């Protein structure tokens, strides 16, 4: 394993829970990433993320550096899904919030809720989604995005009514991209939860009360 991922002694303090292994050491979860030991491929991916629209390498993106091939492709897909689809940021961020709430992925929520509100999504809608309540929508396109995202997550299918409503309001290309957003941020959420990536900047887990 590359030195970017290291084991720690049982007595060494960590900022996250650790797992024991048969060798008598503990392995942090999430794994501790040491930027000074990045190999050339990892460094190239790291620099690409840092110089892109995100401007920071944190959370799942940082974890993915352990597999630079995955990190490179995933960060490119993520940049498209977040910044370059046909959906207005208000709608793409709404889809991300629905996904983060479905998976109870705290890092994702903390990273995206302010962006969603900044993009024009009502704070009341965001809070209802966080609490797994039914939001009240004033804009039809937001209601359509929410309905599609929730239904696809919960039932793994789309009814004809939900599908046709989304196509009518958003257009076919945007619906294709919306499903891509949901899939990509499911990958993000699964990474957050599998590796127990804490919310950024020491923020409290927004879903802790729901556990």
């Amino acid at each position: 394993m590359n030195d970017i991922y290291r084991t720690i002694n049982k007595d060494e303090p960590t900022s996250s829970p650790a797992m024991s292994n048969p060798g008598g050491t503990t392995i942090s979860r999430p794994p501790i990433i040491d930027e000074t030991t990045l190999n050339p491929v990892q460094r190239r991916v790291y620099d690409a993320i840092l110089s892109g629209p995100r401007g920071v390498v944190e959370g799942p993106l940082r974890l993915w550096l352990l597999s630079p091939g995955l990190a490179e492709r995933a960060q490119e897909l993520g940049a498209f899904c977040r910044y370059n689809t046909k959906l207005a940021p208000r709608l793409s961020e709404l889809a991300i919030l629905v996904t983060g709430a479905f998976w109870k992925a705290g890092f994702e929520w903390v990273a995206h809720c302010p962006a969603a509100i900044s993009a024009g999504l009502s704070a009341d809608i965001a809070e209802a989604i966080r609490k797994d309540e039914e939001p009240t929508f004033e804009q039809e396109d937001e209601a359509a995005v929410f309905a599609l995202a929730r239904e696809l997550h919960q039932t793994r299918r789309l009814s004809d009514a939900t599908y046709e409503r989304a196509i009518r309001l958003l257009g076919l290309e945007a619906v294709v991209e919306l499903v891509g957003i949901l899939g990509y941020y499911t990958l993000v959420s699964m990474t957050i939860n599998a590796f127990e990536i804490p919310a950024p900047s020491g923020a409290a887990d927004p879903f802790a009360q729901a556990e």
Side-chain angles (χ1 to χ4, degrees):
M1 180 70 73
N2 189 295
D3 284 342
I4 186 177
Y5 172 54
R6 64 184 179 87
T7 59
I8 55 177
N9 295 325
K10 287 183 178 177
D11 295 332
E12 182 177 350
T14 67
S15 58
S16 59
M19 303 175 295
S20 296
N21 71 21
T25 60
T26 56
I27 303 173
S28 68
R29 187 160 52 155
I32 297 170
I33 307 298
D34 184 353
E35 295 172 10
T36 66
T37 63
L38 295 176
N39 66 34
V41 178
Q42 291 165 330
R43 174 57 63 180
R44 175 168 55 80
V45 177
Y46 180 94
D47 290 343
I49 298 170
L50 196 63
S51 64
R54 300 178 186 90
V56 64
V57 185
E58 62 179 359
L61 290 166
R62 188 176 182 86
L63 187 283
W64 288 337
L65 288 171
L66 293 168
S67 172
L70 172 63
E72 182 170 30
R73 291 159 179 83
Q75 78 91 9
E76 290 175 353
L77 176 60
F80 174 79
C81 286
R82 184 170 184 184
Y83 300 107
N84 295 307
T85 70
K86 297 292 183 184
L87 293 163
R90 168 178 54 88
L91 299 178
S92 57
E93 292 292 340
L94 168 59
I96 295 167
L97 292 190
V98 175
T99 304
F102 176 79
W103 284 95
K104 292 184 171 55
F107 185 101
E108 188 168 335
W109 185 272
V110 171
H112 286 273
C113 187
I117 293 170
S118 235
L121 188 72
S122 161
D124 290 339
I125 289 173
E127 180 63 5
I129 292 169
R130 185 189 70 82
K131 295 166 68 174
D132 195 23
E133 297 175 352
E134 187 76 24
T136 299
F137 292 99
E138 295 184 358
Q139 301 194 58
E140 270 197 285
D141 55 358
E142 291 177 3
V145 167
F146 174 80
L148 185 150
R150 181 180 60 176
E151 187 173 311
L152 190 54
H153 281 309
Q154 292 182 348
T155 73
R156 299 177 290 280
R157 297 289 188 277
L158 288 179
S159 65
D160 287 345
T162 299
Y163 175 79
E164 290 167 6
R165 177 191 188 190
I167 296 294
R168 174 173 56 83
L169 290 170
L170 305 173
L172 180 56
E173 184 176 357
V175 171
V176 171
E177 293 175 345
L178 172 57
V179 173
I181 290 169
L182 299 176
Y184 174 76
Y185 281 95
T186 291
L187 168 62
V188 169
S189 296
M190 292 177 77
T191 302
I192 290 165
N193 289 354
F195 295 96
E196 297 180 354
I197 297 172
S201 305
D205 182 352
F207 302 109
Q209 294 180 355
E211 294 296 332

